[in-house]
Amino acid sequence: MPTVSSDLLDGVRAAGPLQLGIAPFGLVAGVAAVEQGLSVAHALGFSSVVFAGASQLAMIELLGADAPLAIVVGTAVVINLRTMMYSASIAPYFRDLTARSKALASYLLTDQAYAVSIARYGRDGETDRFAYYVGAGASLWLVWQVTTVAGALLGSGLPPEWGFDFAAPLVFLALLVPTLKDRASGASCLVGGLVATGVVVAGVPFHLDIIVAAVVGVLAGLAVDSLGGDA
């Protein structure tokens, strides 16, 4: 009888606490889909193909407004440009994988799967990196699909006072706090956060504020690090 890799199970466990934020976010995506006229089957198909929370919500809103398909797709691409940075960062760990495994890794790439995997790789060089990553990514994928369907079935029956709008920010805060280990990471967080909230780049078109904030935040961290920011 085949055994399940302990590293894969570790990945599932590492993603577990984050599911508390992913689940309500998925419910919101499902509700938004049916409110814009998509069927439950369409909502599931959409969620399975796109598998990206923020861009899914943006695309659903644009589809509901009868925006041109090029605008819908372009918006999703821009919002997900940050995953290029994730890919570049995690790619060295997957260098020896087959093309099929790399394709699966790229499909499962999310903010959460990337964050927990990179944190583990930095601590433990003996980890089966792909198994750990798949454990985290696949469990996040499963919860996202299930909650999207649940949201689509429940529709507008979800009470607005439950405050699901806070789900996504809480997930990202849970990912962020453990990474603040020195002045360089703190500076990167602070500067990137200020830029992302529009203090510096208010009015940047095409949702590029996220990309601008990430680049500026990285540059700020590098600057502090070069000045001895590890203290």
Side-chain angles (χ1 to χ4, degrees), residues 50-61:
V50 179
F51 187 41
S55 62
Q56 274 186 232
L57 292 176
M59 292 175 75
I60 289 170
E61 182 178 350

Side-chain angles (χ1 to χ4, degrees), residues 15-208:
L18 302 177
Q19 308 287 16
L20 297 176
I22 293 297
F25 197 11
L27 289 172
V28 170
V31 170
V34 295
E35 286 184 346
Q36 295 298 340
L38 274 67
S39 67
V40 174
H42 287 151
L44 176 59
F46 189 71
S47 186
S48 300
V49 172
V50 179
F51 187 41
S55 62
Q56 274 186 232
L57 292 176
M59 292 175 75
I60 289 170
E61 182 178 350
L62 289 170
L63 288 170
D66 293 324
L69 182 59
I71 298 297
V72 176
V73 174
T75 298
V77 169
V78 169
I79 293 175
N80 285 324
L81 281 176
R82 69 189 186 282
T83 59
M84 293 181 64
M85 294 185 290
Y86 299 162
S87 296
S89 172
I90 206 168
Y93 296 105
F94 295 160
R95 184 179 294 114
D96 297 329
L97 295 180
T98 64
R100 182 176 298 180
S101 295
K102 289 179 180 178
L104 175 61
S106 67
Y107 173 69
L108 293 175
L109 181 61
T110 60
D111 304 277
Q112 297 81 10
Y114 167 79
V116 297
S117 297
I118 283 293
R120 172 63 174 255
Y121 299 164
R123 297 194 309 266
D124 185 358
E126 300 301 318
T127 298
D128 181 337
R129 293 162 178 166
F130 183 65
Y132 184 89
Y133 177 87
V134 169
S139 62
L140 290 163
W141 179 90
L142 179 60
V143 170
W144 180 257
Q145 307 309 322
V146 170
T147 54
T148 297
V149 171
L153 290 172
L154 291 171
S156 58
L158 293 174
E161 59 268 20
W162 285 8
F164 286 155
D165 290 344
F166 290 98
L170 289 176
V171 171
F172 287 110
L173 282 174
L175 294 172
L176 172 66
V177 171
T179 68
L180 302 179
K181 299 177 180 178
D182 50 41
R183 293 177 183 174
S185 58
S188 182
C189 171
L190 177 61
V191 173
L194 289 174
V195 174
T197 54
V199 173
V200 178
V201 294
V204 171
F206 308 120
H207 294 283
L208 286 172

